[in-house]
């Protein structure tokens, strides 16, 4: 920063240092990036808040009507009950309601479910989110790992039978929607050929199994997650494969790869540190982005396989008009996308030194 | 003329170029498939480190076969510099790549031999197996590519790229390797500690070129090949690199193969200069031979194409026309369509390389002066006339 001339700097010293502190914070890439992420989540939370209240048939009014019809309560009493249940003061102007919603949100309170009364939305999410995280995380890991290995092999052996068959296979699978694959798996593996006990595989674990780090539990969880994982992997591995192939093919032509050969480096070193490391860079951003998309995709797959994850909860919340739960699910999905992006941006500097900013 | 009477060999399969998944070879360091590649060193003169005979390279493309290098022969003496000069597409870079067997997949070395020697041992580089080739590259012969700007891995620090090379060639002592890298970086006049800790994108083009030269010296190779070392650099940086190379050459005593289109660079750095046209060495001699006694019309044309500060601009006479199509070469001498000395005889025969001075070596490089032209004497006389006219 250019030093201000001393005569000007002296009287405004305190303000200048405050300003410079702010500037330093604003100039800090990490701080700026985190600020942006928080801002995005706030914007989405605000939008869902007002959207819910703009919907025809306000859920609270609906609930009040439901109470009146069900228990023959007078309107005022029903309204009081609803207000105490949702912890919303309905007499407040909307902007005050909004601030109290934000205040609660900041404390991690997402309200209570309408359908299962008295159950906090956060506890629902805490109960079901880990299953989705587990299932999606494992699939992403397998799919990405398999994809880059196969993609690299295709690039090294381009023109071979392996290359052609995997390219065809990859683009074919890539173009089939995942719910279709899921149904095909159920119909053929489960119903027609009866290879898999599809009905037993429903849910996220068998009844009566004690959760814990026991082999029985882990195997049971994997047994139940197998079909969703298989579906995710089959539908996404093609994209990774083809992207990695294109990226590796381009990297193999780079001068530094040829130069590495001229330097007599070992094949293993060239393959990993020179080709692989550089070829994987464009896939890195894509990986973090896809985390968010997989959350969205989990809705259909989880309901087809009746897997008890956040997707199933969202579907039942939508069909039951359970607005707080819907709001919570949307918020979690948004937050996961935003944080995945944040993570991508922060980590990318470590992966690719060329985009590293500041020190 | 050709100095070798060996029958043409069959096309040599190239394990190094089958991609990096080439099957590992079963033989051992340092010379790989020794029985096949080893050559009797006593047949070579003592001071020759690299002896190329009848090297022929062809690229297969859709239209046919590109004859990129046609029966090139030369010798490289210890500590000497040979400059390969020619237009773009003349095949000079292909020669350089063939010397370390780094040609693209579509290219095949169809004939010839590249004999490398250190001390009493000699080996045919074209017959080396994968392990022997890996040892030969950089340990014995370091080739620095044309594109210095993109030759370093963008995601690895310069220090670690030096260590990569050291490790690949069995320098297990990390600290010693690092010390040597820093010493070499200082030798090429770089701020060693800062540069070693930098990523390539943090360095300027001239700095990267110097890093590559320093890297080339890491294992003390006998031969260094530099492909267009100054082309991408601005004129002041070029000067730095040229001065640096000249100093290093004196200090380190490596033989240098310089590939360039820049006659001035050749004049400053080279001991021997070879002009390459349509994949052949058409003339080769000492710097004095080539600049003051050229015998090939192409050399003459290249000399005339260089403007001088004091010269008359209009008198600048370059080589007319375009380089020939290497798939479909003209009959006889490939230079015939552009040659002011050409006669019908030139279309009938493609002249062999012959010595100008019978008292000297008949091979390109190694102090000889050879030319492949039927009208070499006429060319030399024309140059004399020009030169004496210019002196007046």
């Amino acid at each position: 920063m250019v030093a201000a001339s001393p005569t000007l700097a002296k009287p405004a010293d305190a303000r200048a240092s405050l300003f410079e502190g702010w500037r330093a914070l604003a100039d800090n890439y990490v701080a700026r990036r985190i600020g942006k992420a928080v801002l995005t989540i706030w914007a989405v939370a605000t939008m869902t808040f007002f959207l819910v209240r703009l919907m025809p048939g306000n859920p609270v009014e609906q609930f009040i009507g439901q109470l009146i019809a069900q228990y023959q309560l007078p309107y005022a009493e029903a309204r009081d009950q609803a207000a105490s249940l949702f912890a919303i003061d309905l007499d407040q102007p909307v902007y005050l309601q909004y601030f109290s919603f934000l205040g609660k949100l900041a404390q991690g309170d997402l309200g209570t479910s309408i359908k299962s009364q008295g159950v906090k939305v956060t506890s629902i999410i805490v109960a079901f989110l880990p299953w989705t995280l587990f299932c999606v995380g494992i699939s992403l890991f397998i799919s990405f790992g398999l994809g880059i290995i196969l993609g690299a092999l295709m690039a090294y052996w381009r023109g071979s039978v392996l290359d052609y068959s995997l390219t065809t296979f990859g683009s074919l699978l890539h173009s089939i929607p995942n719910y279709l694959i899921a149904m095909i798996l159920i119909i053929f593996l489960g119903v027609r050929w009866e290879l898999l006990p599809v009905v037993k595989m429903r849910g996220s674990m068998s009844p009566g199994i004690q959760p814990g780090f026991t082999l029985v539990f882990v195997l049971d969880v994997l047994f139940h997650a197998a079909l969703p994982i298989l579906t995710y992997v089959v539908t996404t591995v093609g994209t990774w494969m083809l992207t990695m192939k294109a990226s590796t093919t381009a990297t193999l032509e780079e001068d530094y790869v040829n130069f590495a050969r001229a330097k007599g480096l070992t094949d293993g070193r060239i393959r990993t540190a020179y080709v692989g490391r550089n070829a994987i860079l464009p896939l890195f951003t894509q990986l973090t982005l896809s985390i968010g998309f997989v959350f969205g995709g989990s809705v259909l797959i989880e309901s087809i396989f009746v897997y008890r994850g956040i997707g199933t909860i969202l579907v039942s919340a939508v069909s039951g008009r359970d607005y707080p739960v819907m709001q919570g699910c949307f918020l979690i999905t948004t937050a996961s996308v935003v944080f995945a992006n944040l993570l991508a941006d922060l980590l990318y500097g470590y992966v690719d030194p060329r985009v590293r900013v500041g020190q | 003329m050709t100095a070798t009477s060996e029958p043409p060999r069959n096309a040599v399969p190239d394990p190094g170029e089958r991609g990096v998944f080439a099957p590992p070879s079963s033989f051992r360091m340092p010379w790989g498939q020794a029985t096949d590649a080893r050559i009797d060193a006593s047949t070579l003169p003592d001071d020759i480190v690299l002896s190329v005979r009848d090297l022929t390279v062809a690229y297969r493309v859709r239209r046919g076969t590109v004859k990129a290098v046609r029966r090139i022969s030369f010798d490289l003496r210890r500590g000497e510099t040979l400059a390969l000069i020619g237009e773009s597409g003349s095949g000079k870079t292909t020669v350089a790549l063939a010397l370390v067997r780094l040609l693209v997949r579509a290219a095949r070395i169809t004939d010839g031999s590249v004999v490398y020697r250190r001390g009493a041992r000699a080996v045919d580089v074209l017959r080396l197996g994968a392990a022997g080739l890996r040892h030969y590259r950089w340990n014995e012969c370091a080739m620095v590519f044309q594109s210095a700007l993109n030759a370093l891995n963008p995601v690895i620090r310069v220090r670690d790229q030096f260590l990569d090379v050291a490790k690949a060639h069995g320098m297990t002592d990390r600290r010693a390797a690092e010390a040597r890298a820093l010493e070499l970086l200082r030798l090429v006049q770089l701020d060693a500690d800062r540069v070693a800790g930098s990523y390539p994108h943090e360095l300027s083009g001239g700095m990267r070129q110097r890093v590559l030269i320093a890297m080339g010296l890491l294992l003390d190779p006998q031969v260094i090949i530099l492909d267009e070392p100054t082309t991408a650099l601005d004129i002041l940086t070029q000067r730095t690199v040229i001065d640096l190379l000249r100093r290093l050459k004196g200090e380190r005593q490596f033989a240098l193969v310089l590939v360039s289109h820049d006659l001035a660079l050749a004049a400053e750095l080279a001991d021997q200069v070879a002009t390459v046209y349509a994949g052949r060495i058409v003339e080769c001699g000492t710097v004095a031979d080539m600049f003051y006694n050229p015998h090939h019309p192409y050399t003459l044309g290249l000399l005339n194409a260089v403007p001088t500060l004091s010269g008359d601009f209009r008198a600048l006479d370059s080589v007319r026309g375009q380089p020939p199509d290497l798939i479909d070469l003209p009959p006889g001498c490939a230079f015939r369509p552009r040659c002011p000395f050409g006669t019908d005889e030139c279309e009938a025969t493609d002249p062999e390389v012959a010595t100008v001075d019978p008292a000297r070596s008949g091979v390109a490089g190694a102090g000889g002066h050879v030319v492949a032209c039927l009208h070499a004497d006429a060319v030399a006389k024309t140059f004399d006339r020009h030169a004496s006219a210019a002196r007046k």
Side-chain angles (χ1 to χ4, degrees):
Chain A
M1 196 173 280
V2 182
S5 70
T7 45
L8 277 174
K10 261 179 192 162
D13 227 12
R15 277 180 63 192
S17 73
L18 195 71
F19 175 72
E20 286 196 5
W22 169 248
R23 269 300 287 275
L25 198 67
D27 281 345
N28 184 303
Y29 178 70
V30 177
R32 216 167 56 216
R33 211 47 207 79
I34 291 176
K36 230 160 112 184
V38 171
L39 217 71
T40 314
I41 292 177
W42 167 77
V44 171
T46 305
M47 263 179 344
T48 35
F49 175 86
F50 284 107
L51 271 179
V52 165
R53 273 147 194 81
L54 283 174
M55 275 180 185
N58 175 327
V60 181
E61 289 296 337
Q62 258 189 2
F63 183 70
I64 292 170
Q66 205 182 324
L67 283 181
I68 292 170
Q70 213 171 344
Y71 305 107
Q72 271 88 40
L73 292 174
Y75 177 75
E77 207 175 308
R79 196 164 180 277
D80 281 349
Q81 218 176 66
S84 73
L85 190 62
F86 295 136
I88 296 170
D89 188 349
L90 294 168
D91 292 328
Q92 273 185 344
V94 176
Y95 72 91
L96 281 181
Q97 287 183 39
Y98 170 65
F99 285 127
S100 91
F101 161 74
L102 274 194
K104 280 181 184 155
L105 181 64
Q107 292 164 34
D109 184 357
L110 291 169
T112 18
S113 163
I114 294 179
K115 238 177 116 192
S116 6
Q117 282 171 20
V119 182
K120 287 201 163 281
V121 173
T122 39
S123 65
I124 294 180
I125 289 174
V126 164
F128 290 95
L129 186 64
W131 294 108
T132 299
L133 280 180
F134 165 76
C135 184
V136 167
I138 296 252
S139 337
L140 212 58
F141 183 77
I142 295 177
S143 170
F144 187 73
L146 203 65
I148 57 168
I149 292 171
L150 289 178
L153 284 179
M154 282 156 77
Y156 283 118
W157 293 334
R158 55 187 177 281
S160 68
V161 180
L162 177 99
D163 178 20
Y164 284 126
S165 48
L166 279 182
T167 302
T168 317
F169 206 57
S171 30
L172 188 77
L173 288 177
H174 170 59
S175 54
I176 303 177
N178 52 14
Y179 55 86
L180 221 59
I181 297 264
M183 287 195 255
I184 290 172
L185 284 180
I186 288 186
I187 290 169
F188 284 97
L189 294 184
V191 182
R192 284 282 173 83
W193 302 331
E194 292 179 18
L195 293 174
L196 289 174
V198 204
V199 178
K200 260 199 203 160
M201 291 174 90
R202 286 181 177 171
S204 39
M205 56 185 196
S206 305
I209 292 264
Q210 282 300 311
F213 284 105
T214 59
L215 187 65
V216 184
F217 176 70
V218 172
L219 285 180
D220 185 61
V221 164
L222 282 176
F223 173 70
H224 285 275
L227 279 178
I229 290 178
L230 183 65
T231 311
Y232 284 128
V233 169
V234 164
T235 45
T236 52
V237 75
T239 321
W240 296 125
M241 226 159 63
L242 297 179
T243 321
M244 184 63 182
K245 181 199 166 187
S247 180
T248 308
T249 310
T251 310
L252 279 171
E253 301 300 314
E254 291 283 355
D255 290 321
Y256 52 78
V257 174
N258 268 321
F259 191 58
R261 290 193 194 119
K263 287 189 286 192
L265 298 193
T266 52
D267 286 349
R269 182 71 185 161
I270 296 176
R271 250 175 268 161
T272 50
Y274 285 72
V275 180
R277 176 82 194 277
N278 283 290
I280 221 164
L281 288 181
L283 277 82
F284 187 75
T285 332
Q286 220 179 323
L287 173 69
T288 41
L289 280 180
S290 72
I291 294 176
F293 286 110
V294 170
F295 265 99
S298 71
V299 172
L300 287 168
I301 295 190
E302 285 183 4
S303 47
I304 290 172
F305 290 114
V306 205
Y307 188 78
R308 309 286 286 164
I310 201 91
T312 321
I313 291 305
L314 183 58
V315 170
S316 69
V318 169
S319 59
R321 296 274 183 278
D322 199 342
Y323 287 100
V325 175
M326 275 163 70
Q327 200 169 291
C329 287
F330 286 137
L331 203 67
I332 283 297
T333 312
T334 315
S336 60
V337 175
V338 169
F339 278 114
N341 277 333
L342 177 67
L343 205 69
D345 280 357
L346 295 185
L347 287 182
Y348 202 75
Y350 286 96
V351 187
D352 187 350
R354 280 167 297 184
V355 297
R356 205 167 288 174
V357 244
Q359 285 304 319
Chain B
M1 65 152 273
T2 47
T4 173
S5 53
E6 288 174 38
R9 289 183 183 135
N10 291 331
V12 181
D14 206 337
E17 293 328 305
R18 252 181 250 143
V20 282
F21 271 118
S25 33
S26 51
F27 34 75
R28 271 162 218 93
M29 299 277 280
W31 290 122
Q33 216 156 26
T35 46
D36 205 13
R38 195 177 290 155
I39 273 174
D40 188 3
S42 59
T43 58
L44 285 171
D46 270 352
D47 55 347
I48 304 289
V49 288
L50 198 64
S51 175
V52 179
R53 288 293 176 274
D54 288 330
L55 185 66
T56 306
V57 182
Y59 291 91
R60 276 171 322 203
V61 294
R62 201 166 304 200
R63 273 179 57 223
T65 307
V66 180
K67 298 156 199 107
V69 174
R70 297 184 296 145
R71 294 186 28 243
I72 275 186
S73 302
F74 64 84
D75 282 340
L76 186 64
R77 285 200 290 211
R78 187 176 301 121
E80 246 184 24
T81 300
L82 170 71
L84 298 175
I85 302 289
E87 290 165 284
S88 316
S90 59
K92 53 194 192 307
T93 297
T94 307
V95 174
L97 288 171
L99 295 184
V100 286
R101 298 235 324 253
L102 271 170
L103 293 163
V104 294
R105 281 157 185 256
R108 278 284 172 279
I109 299 170
T110 53
D111 193 13
S113 65
V114 175
V115 173
Y116 171 82
R117 130 202 215 126
R118 184 189 273 270
R121 291 180 305 174
V123 69
D124 185 349
V125 175
L126 302 186
R127 311 215 139 215
L128 282 178
L133 190 60
R134 201 170 75 69
H135 171 83
Y136 165 74
R137 289 175 179 167
W138 220 258
N139 244 334
E140 309 290 349
C141 176
M143 158 139 195
V144 178
F145 286 3
Q146 186 163 359
S147 44
L149 300 186
N150 198 19
L152 292 166
N153 187 343
V155 297
I156 300 184
R157 286 180 203 276
V158 169
R159 179 196 315 274
D160 295 318
Q161 306 205 29
F162 271 93
L163 293 177
D164 264 355
V165 178
K167 218 170 116 192
H169 292 285
M171 270 171 94
T172 42
D173 186 352
R174 195 189 144 94
R175 203 171 305 160
E178 200 173 322
R180 173 138 177 81
L182 290 177
E183 177 203 320
L184 287 169
L185 286 172
R186 273 191 290 275
L187 189 70
V188 296
Q189 292 159 347
L190 288 169
D191 179 355
D193 289 300
R194 195 179 73 76
V195 169
S198 300
Y199 287 98
H201 71 278
E202 295 166 336
L203 306 174
S204 71
M207 290 163 97
R208 278 182 238 181
Q209 183 69 63
R210 278 182 279 168
V211 166
L212 292 183
I213 292 170
M215 210 179 266
L217 297 170
L218 185 66
L219 305 173
D220 256 327
Q222 272 199 114
V223 180
I224 295 183
I225 304 170
L226 294 177
D227 190 358
E228 303 277 13
T230 58
T231 304
L233 307 177
D234 66 80
I235 198 119
L236 291 174
T237 319
Q238 281 186 13
R239 173 53 40 205
T240 321
V241 170
I242 292 171
D243 288 345
L244 177 71
L245 282 174
R246 191 186 303 147
R247 187 164 59 80
L248 291 177
K249 217 160 63 81
E251 285 173 15
R252 303 262 153 173
Q253 287 299 309
F254 48 81
L256 188 63
V257 177
L258 195 67
V259 176
S260 179
H261 58 256
D262 187 354
L263 277 176
L265 180 72
E268 284 209 55
L269 282 176
D271 303 300
Q272 307 273 319
V273 179
T275 41
V276 182
Y277 186 79
R280 293 193 62 180
I281 287 181
V282 290
E283 185 172 6
C284 180
T286 62
V287 172
D289 291 334
M290 298 296 277
F291 283 83
Y292 300 111
N293 189 20
H295 275 61
H296 195 279
Y298 183 59
T299 314
L300 191 64
L302 286 179
L303 289 175
N304 284 338
V306 179
T308 54
L309 271 180
S310 54
D312 186 354
F313 184 72
R314 276 166 303 170
L316 195 62
D317 184 20
S318 75
V319 185
R320 274 178 288 267
Q322 293 297 314
D325 181 1
L326 293 175
I327 294 178
D328 187 18
L329 283 165
C333 175
F335 192 60
R336 163 77 180 94
R338 303 170 79 180
C339 182
F341 298 87
T343 57
D344 289 347
E345 204 186 343
C346 297
E347 270 171 47
T349 44
D350 192 6
E352 291 290 338
V353 179
T355 184
V356 170
D357 181 356
R360 288 156 62 185
S361 161
V363 188
H369 184 189
V370 295
V371 65
C373 180
L374 295 174
H375 305 292
D377 292 335
V379 177
K381 276 189 196 114
T382 312
F383 181 80
D384 276 345
R385 213 163 41 239
H386 273 293
S388 50
R391 270 195 294 274
K392 275 173 195 165

